[in-house]
Amino acid sequence: TSLDVSGNPALRYLDCDNTGLTSLDVSQNPALEYLDCGATGLTSLDVSQNPALKSLWCWHVGLTSLDVSRNPALEILYCQSTGLTSLDVSQNPALVNLYCHYSTGLTSLDVSRNPALEMVQCQHTGLTSLDVSQTPTLTNLFCYSTGITSLDVSQNPALLLLSCSNTGLTSLDVSQNPALSYLECGNTGITGLDVSQNPVLNYLYCDYTGITSLDVSQNPMLEVLECGNTGITSLDVSQNPNLKSLDCSNARLSHIDLSQNSLLEEVNVGNNVHPVKVSVGEMYDLAQIPGFDLSRVDWMRTEEMDGSRLLFARQTIAYNYDIRVGGESKYMMFKLEAVPDLAAEGQSEPMPFRA
């Protein structure tokens, strides 16, 4: 399949995607502003004679190189799923949207000369670093499933969406992103996360990380929270009345109170094992666990109690706790685990059993 547009010098719009094209010559179309040749058999593309080009879509093609240095008016570049190993956008100051995701051979990307950038999608590439400090208008950044080990978004005050999961990140500071509404940083090495400066946050995914605490009291608009498979030992969602979905499973919670979350539709608190500093055969005062309400506990076995003190007759003790979803009674299983050498600040030494 072929297409000859050499006789159309005034051509401004060309859409030939999802066709059998194996070659395309647009060298005689200087007025061309929009070109979509995605999902074709193209293996090369020359746009050096198209200075007016504003939108270029060359996705899912066999390109291994692309030169856009002669396209200063370019605003949208969509080169997803290609064989590109490098991409130079330094001569495209008007660039607003850049899509180069699923180009797995791409190992570097310099956007320092693209001050108008609003959207960057570079997920599933070979990137190991990304500097967005010179893109103050950036609103959407997708860099998940890359080799990135650090990310500074302090110079992106307009950021609305950040997806950086499945990366090598060990820390993330979003304190300078007050407009952030969506944050996905799961499956990383992050050990701490402060979202107190993100008042309009709607979606937070920080599961499969090393965080041990999470404060969402300053996020009243939060609708979805996934913080499962973490080291979180307590979670207060009483200030999140709009919460609709919560997954805090496989964490270290001893209990949770969902009485203020009447809009909840999905809840997963399964497999929470809370460590306490006590040895098997000794007593532990449950009053040491902040917010733990004994009146909500339904012991799964007859446990030896002395007031609020529980005898750890075995290493792990399971119980049902009333989490009261939206004020309605709902019992879910939690577990306490005796960990004698637990370095837990604020917990007293185990008390001997009083006969």
Side-chain angles (χ1 to χ4, degrees), residues 24-43:
L24 180 65
D25 183 356
V26 289
S27 62
Q28 303 304 310
N29 311 102
L32 194 64
E33 296 181 4
Y34 179 98
L35 173 58
D36 186 350
C37 53
T40 61
L42 294 182
T43 55

Side-chain angles (χ1 to χ4, degrees), residues 94 164 312:
C164 54
F312 269 79

Side-chain angles (χ1 to χ4, degrees), residues 32 45 48 69 102 110 126 131 134 166 181 202-203 211 214 235 282 284 322 331 346:
L32 194 64
L45 181 65
S48 62
S69 62
Y102 288 98
D110 183 355
D131 182 356
Q134 303 302 311
N166 298 300
S181 63
N202 293 127
Y203 302 88
I211 63 174
L214 182 64
L235 183 63
E282 296 180 326
Y284 180 82
D322 186 1
Y331 282 88

